[in-house]
Amino acid sequence: MRGGDEILRIEGLCVYFYTYAGVVRAVEDLNLTIYRGETFALVGETGCGKSVTMRAVLRLVPPPGRIVKGRIIFDGVDLLKLPEKEMRKIRGSKISMVFQDPNTALDPLYTAGYQTTETILAHRKVSKKSAWQRALELFKVVEIPEPKRRLRAYPHELSGGMKQRVVTSIALSLNPKLLIADEPTTALDVTIQAQILELLRDLQRKYGVTLVMITHNMGVVADMADRVAVMYAGSVVEVADVYELFGNPLHPYTKGLLRAIPSLTSRNERLQSIPGTVPNMIRPPPGCKFHPRCEYAMDVCKRERPRMIDMGKGHLVACHLYS
Amino acid sequence: MAELKYYIIRRILTFLPTLIGLTLITFVVSMLVPGNPARLWAGGIKASPEVIEAVKKRYHLDEPLYMQYYYYLRNLLRGDLGVSPLTHRPVITDIMSYFPATVELAIFAELLVILMGIPLGIISALKRDSVIDHAVRVFSLIGVSVPVFWLGLMLQWLFYYYLGWLPAGGRGPAPPRIYTKLYVLDSLLCGRWDLFWSNVAHIILPAFTLAYIGVGMVARVTRSSVLDVLSSDFVIFLNVKGLSRLSVLRHVIKNALVPIVTILGLEFGGLLGGAVITETIFFWPGIGRYAVQGINSLDFPAIMGVTVLIGLIYIIVNLAVDLLYAVIDPRVRL
């Protein structure tokens, strides 16, 4: 454990989506602490609220979603209390984000270089020339071949992997303290995926940026992360060191997730899935939201929401089995 | 940039077949018209056979159709659209004297469409489902559904008869020196502010009457186009980058522009061709009124001349729109 030096602390975060069908409780009473310099993975199924949580950190929850409650302390400042203008100064310069699909993340009408320099110019009082100089350096850092020519290329002239490199260079252009990568490889070819992960790992080491990876790919987690939080239906159910989590998973949901990974060594084994489906988030089940799918469910699970319990060595779990 | 150059050359090359198509259709339509043009042009029923023969020879009416088409094209290229049997003047001369008034009116109307329609659409999209959005929606719907003649008459009644603020119709006073034949502009070039304001006062009602449909359409298209862009992923990334609201809006508007430019182009062609009713209501001495006169008196050279002219302008505007696409969107250049 790095201990103490936290960069981001989320306390009691609630994000609700006000739809016609009802209020979708996408994130409910979520607590999370991320330490400076680490690579942190946020895992869970599609729709469990992991992207929304990190979008909330940037205060860019898409409508009709709204941050209802909670505190998001970044570097000692509660982001939810900042005026919008101050928040814009933080976005892109102190906290940045890379998206799942690089093909739609860039404005098709502007060159890659323009979109990089405009970020620099929005935050720093530098000349256009030095901004382009910086963009060229960044393109070299993210290993874009022929960076000079690529600066003048439009997004449609670049491949998917190349676009993700451009997006990454934009996200890194102002040396952010926190970089959120929202499934940065899902939309890419497998070989390109490995390259992008390699790139992120290198950049993380070189610049000491705190990296939050949002993913549902346990392979990526094992490969990249120092610590992991598992989310289920809008809440964190387990947090642990990556070795601890894979070696000694405590929450029944985490156990299920790990059993669902195909492995090369155990050959004649059927892949196991977690029975049931993700709960209705408009009227989630009472008590522990996982209890309808849990093989260890007890009476108390249907009544009471489990609290987060510290099992030692920073291993936290929210499950009645351990109380 | 090389791509852009090739695109422009390619696009101009496709312009030629369209032009041939336009002249061919106009020519064929003129051939389908019943009656004997030679006799008509020679003076009608009283014309002697010798004179009719002479007219036939002179206008190549005795030659095969493809030769006639050739002569028609050749004359067209020389700017010769024939002689109007009504005014006994070359059609091109008539058109040149009527057309600037229509161009002036259409430019004014197009300016209104751009300056009102686009901002209304943007505000509507940004303040979605607000009171402003609903107000713009109603305003646009009225614009699209109210008949032009009724709107023109009502505006005339309100601003001329009831309020007495604006003249009922007619073109403003001609400035002492003519440069562009557009009176509003020429008044300015002559430095005559009194004439400038008078001309603006004359043009504003017909221009608004002509523009209102377009304002409504452009506002609606702009709204949906901006909303479309606002929901795309790259807008989220622009916000993640920490750009100011204004910078983000600039990206959004440029992306929303392609469908808007399409509508504006079609609209401008429509403004020129569709000025007939407005010009009639407001006694505007433009090409629309000339065409109506021509139709009423079966003045075929005049009708054909106007048709070719408006068709030509439609084609040119479409070409301009296509070139604008390429300037806005690099993907079009491929």
Side-chain angles (χ1 to χ4, degrees), chain A residues 55 58 60 88 91-93 95-97 99 101 104-110 114-116 118-119 122-123 154 156-157 167 170-171, chain B residues 1 3 129 232-245 247-248 250-252 254-256 258 328-331 333-334:
Chain A
R55 286 272 202 97
L58 281 161
L60 288 173
R88 277 182 196 275
R91 285 185 206 129
S93 86
I95 307 176
S96 207
M97 191 160 174
F99 288 95
D101 190 354
T104 56
L106 295 168
D107 184 335
L109 306 188
Y110 291 89
Y114 180 91
Q115 299 190 51
T116 313
E118 81 174 332
T119 317
H123 293 281
Y154 288 97
H156 71 270
E157 296 166 326
V167 170
I170 292 173
Chain B
M1 280 297 113
E3 279 172 3
D129 293 330
S232 45
D233 283 355
F234 75 79
V235 176
I236 300 167
F237 192 51
L238 290 172
N239 279 309
V240 166
K241 294 188 333 185
L243 300 190
S244 66
R245 277 180 73 92
S247 309
V248 175
R250 237 189 42 225
H251 278 272
V252 171
K254 192 171 174 188
N255 274 277
V258 168
I328 297 170
D329 191 340
R331 289 167 296 183
R333 293 171 207 164
L334 293 174

Side-chain angles (χ1 to χ4, degrees), chain A residues 194-205:
Chain A
Q195 288 176 21
I196 294 290
L197 289 178
E198 189 66 31
L199 175 72
L200 284 173
R201 200 193 344 248
D202 279 358
L203 294 170
Q204 202 267 342
R205 270 190 210 133

Side-chain angles (χ1 to χ4, degrees), chain B residues 144-203:
Chain B
V144 180
S145 37
V146 159
V148 173
F149 71 88
W150 186 85
L151 176 70
L153 291 173
M154 287 302 116
L155 288 174
Q156 240 170 6
W157 175 81
L158 181 66
F159 286 99
Y160 167 69
Y161 178 77
Y162 188 74
L163 293 171
W165 290 355
L166 296 170
R171 209 177 177 199
R177 198 172 295 164
I178 301 292
Y179 301 95
T180 60
K181 293 192 181 173
L182 310 177
Y183 287 180
V184 174
L185 193 60
D186 284 345
S187 313
L188 269 185
L189 292 176
C190 293
R192 290 287 299 273
W193 284 97
D194 54 329
L195 294 182
F196 170 75
W197 287 117
S198 171
N199 270 298
V200 170
H202 276 88
I203 206 170

Side-chain angles (χ1 to χ4, degrees), chain A:
Chain A
M1 283 313 306
R2 277 156 198 83
D5 193 13
E6 52 185 55
I7 188 161
L8 183 74
R9 193 169 78 241
I10 303 175
E11 287 175 0
L13 181 71
C14 293
V15 183
Y16 294 169
F17 284 74
Y18 296 86
T19 67
Y20 288 113
V23 179
V24 178
R25 294 153 195 268
V27 176
E28 191 150 44
D29 193 23
L30 180 133
N31 298 288
L32 207 56
T33 304
I34 292 165
Y35 297 103
R36 205 176 291 276
E38 71 177 343
T39 297
F40 189 87
L42 196 55
V43 295
E45 289 164 276
T46 305
C48 72
K50 50 196 196 299
S51 291
V52 173
T53 304
M54 292 327 278
R55 286 272 202 97
V57 170
L58 281 161
R59 275 185 31 198
L60 288 173
V61 175
R66 241 186 297 154
I67 300 171
V68 181
K69 257 194 308 206
R71 303 209 300 159
I72 297 175
I73 318 280
F74 171 74
D75 238 2
V77 181
D78 187 350
L79 295 181
L80 297 185
K81 292 216 172 86
L82 285 182
E84 176 63 20
K85 220 179 150 194
E86 293 300 309
M87 194 62 216
R88 277 182 196 275
K89 286 184 191 161
I90 288 179
R91 285 185 206 129
S93 86
K94 293 197 171 139
I95 307 176
S96 207
M97 191 160 174
V98 177
F99 288 95
Q100 181 170 352
D101 190 354
N103 298 306
T104 56
L106 295 168
D107 184 335
L109 306 188
Y110 291 89
T111 59
Y114 180 91
Q115 299 190 51
T116 313
T117 50
E118 81 174 332
T119 317
I120 299 167
L121 292 169
H123 293 281
R124 300 270 189 277
K125 284 197 170 68
V126 293
S127 69
K128 270 192 184 164
K129 211 180 149 195
S130 59
W132 279 88
Q133 201 54 47
R134 169 88 179 122
L136 181 62
E137 281 168 33
L138 285 162
F139 275 32
K140 285 178 188 158
V141 168
V142 297
E143 292 159 19
I144 293 175
E146 296 185 74
K148 232 181 189 138
R149 196 164 67 83
R150 287 321 177 349
L151 278 174
R152 274 178 280 117
Y154 288 97
H156 71 270
E157 296 166 326
L158 302 170
S159 68
M162 203 81 84
K163 273 183 261 195
Q164 194 61 300
R165 285 173 194 273
V166 172
V167 170
T168 309
S169 85
I170 292 173
L172 287 172
S173 56
L174 294 148
N175 295 323
K177 293 179 178 170
L178 180 65
L179 177 65
I180 301 162
D182 188 352
E183 310 208 11
T185 58
T186 310
L188 301 172
D189 289 344
V190 181
T191 48
I192 311 290
Q193 284 182 15
Q195 288 176 21
I196 294 290
L197 289 178
E198 189 66 31
L199 175 72
L200 284 173
R201 200 193 344 248
D202 279 358
L203 294 170
Q204 202 267 342
R205 270 190 210 133
K206 213 181 281 179
Y207 297 101
V209 59
T210 310
L211 182 62
V212 176
M213 301 267 298
I214 300 172
T215 182
H216 54 241
N217 184 334
M218 284 309 220
V220 172
V221 174
D223 199 25
M224 302 278 296
D226 298 319
R227 282 196 317 134
V228 190
V230 180
M231 270 187 85
Y232 183 77
S235 311
V236 172
V237 294
E238 185 164 5
V239 185
D241 189 79
V242 68
Y243 297 107
E244 174 74 11
L245 189 96
F246 277 85
N248 179 27
L250 295 178
H251 198 282
Y253 177 64
T254 314
K255 289 179 184 168
L257 270 188
L258 292 174
R259 272 204 301 270
I261 307 174
S263 95
L264 286 174
T265 46
S266 50
R267 221 171 290 168
N268 301 318
E269 207 175 291
R270 273 195 65 148
L271 266 185
Q272 291 195 27
S273 62
I274 303 172
T277 54
V278 182
N280 175 346
M281 305 285 272
I282 293 176
R283 233 167 285 124
C288 173
K289 285 179 202 153
F290 187 62
H291 84 256
R293 302 171 75 182
C294 180
E295 50 185 315
Y296 310 104
M298 305 174 288
D299 263 354
V300 62
C301 301
K302 293 171 192 160
R303 293 192 316 266
E304 270 175 53
R305 255 197 93 176
R307 304 188 144 273
M308 204 55 118
I309 305 155
D310 193 340
M311 304 294 288
K313 291 191 284 180
H315 196 154
L316 306 174
V317 65
C319 179
H320 288 302
L321 285 176
Y322 305 95
S323 52

